[in-house]
Amino acid sequence: MEPIQFKRHRRLRKSANLRKMVRETHLHAEDFIYPLFIVEGVNTRNEVSSMPGVEQISLDLLKDEIDELVSLGIQSVILFGVPDEKDDCGTGAYDDEGIVQKATRVIKEHAPEILVVADTCLCEYTDHGHCGLVEDGVILNDSSLELLVQTAVSQAKAGADIIAPSNMMDGFVAAIRKGLDDSGFQDVPIMSYAVKYSSAFYGPFRDAANSTPQFGDRKTYQMDPANRLEALREAESDMDEGADLLIVKPALSYLDIIRDVRNNFNVPVVAYNVSGEYSLIKAAAQNGWIDERATVLEMLTSIKRAGADIIITYFAKDAVKWLQEDK
């Protein structure tokens, strides 16, 4: 019998150090943006019941949180405000003394090297929970843009390094870019939620941000999960309007979209590893069904391998600790 001819791919897998040497995709602390939920009050830590390990924290505890992130080498945070009072036009979003604005000033005064990304939306601040103004049950586009511009400018005035509009109104990047430029913030980049699907994976976030819609849903402005080409149209529009970074949200069910955006646009691609993705893993790990550490690192590696340069994730602190243990 003649010898069988085949390739020996296992040669490069036979030891841990050899596997590390040929590894194609690597995770680093600077890849991660850590989300923070900021509330009013003093000495307040409210654990989010649907997101074990995630808390709403008050301003006076923010410095300690930032110190921990700095010690881990995490360089970026994204801020979500949870105000005490809400109204139908989201006044707290664009108030210069709003919760995100105050949190931004605290962080930049305490640790100026930390990059502050300000989520720019109205849903956490409106009593109806939608991302724009509402009239007769319809979410208005153009009049909502005016308030989103005011929000972005107020956040930039407070010291935000990056504006991240997540509202999915048509024209939001163009409007915010012009508003920032006209206000003297030409150098503040826009990290656009360019591709944001109307996803079932957002439920726990709405608990954390107290932003559940009081009627209907967000399908008239967020994208249909069945659509792929639409993602490229949305991203292209945002690029034409002045976006500097493009977000795809969620991540795990949309790895193909992350790769499409990476292949078609030469700007940094950000993937949002969203709350539902976090909570699914946490629940399974707490029940002993999976190895949390191995699962999380595999998941984050898959997101980066798909083409993400940056990952917004609630697992950032744990992931960095695990990566440091592996060194």
Side-chain angles (χ1 to χ4, degrees), residues 268-282:
V269 176
V270 184
Y272 199 142
N273 177 213
V274 299
S275 60
E277 297 166 346
Y278 173 88
S279 296
L280 287 173
I281 290 177
K282 278 291 185 182

Side-chain angles (χ1 to χ4, degrees), residues 149-164:
V149 170
Q150 292 181 44
T151 302
V153 170
S154 178
Q155 292 168 338
K157 283 168 58 180
D161 298 287
I162 299 173
I163 298 300

Side-chain angles (χ1 to χ4, degrees), residues 39-60:
V39 295
E40 306 282 358
V42 177
N43 197 30
T44 301
R45 285 188 179 273
N46 301 323
E47 184 167 18
V48 181
S49 60
S50 57
M51 299 180 69
V54 173
E55 298 175 316
Q56 300 171 333
I57 64 171
S58 53
L59 281 170
D60 58 309

Side-chain angles (χ1 to χ4, degrees), residues 2-3 9 45 80 148 256 259 288 309:
E2 293 185 5
H9 300 288
R45 285 188 179 273
F80 299 96
L148 293 165
D256 59 325
R259 173 48 56 185
D309 302 288

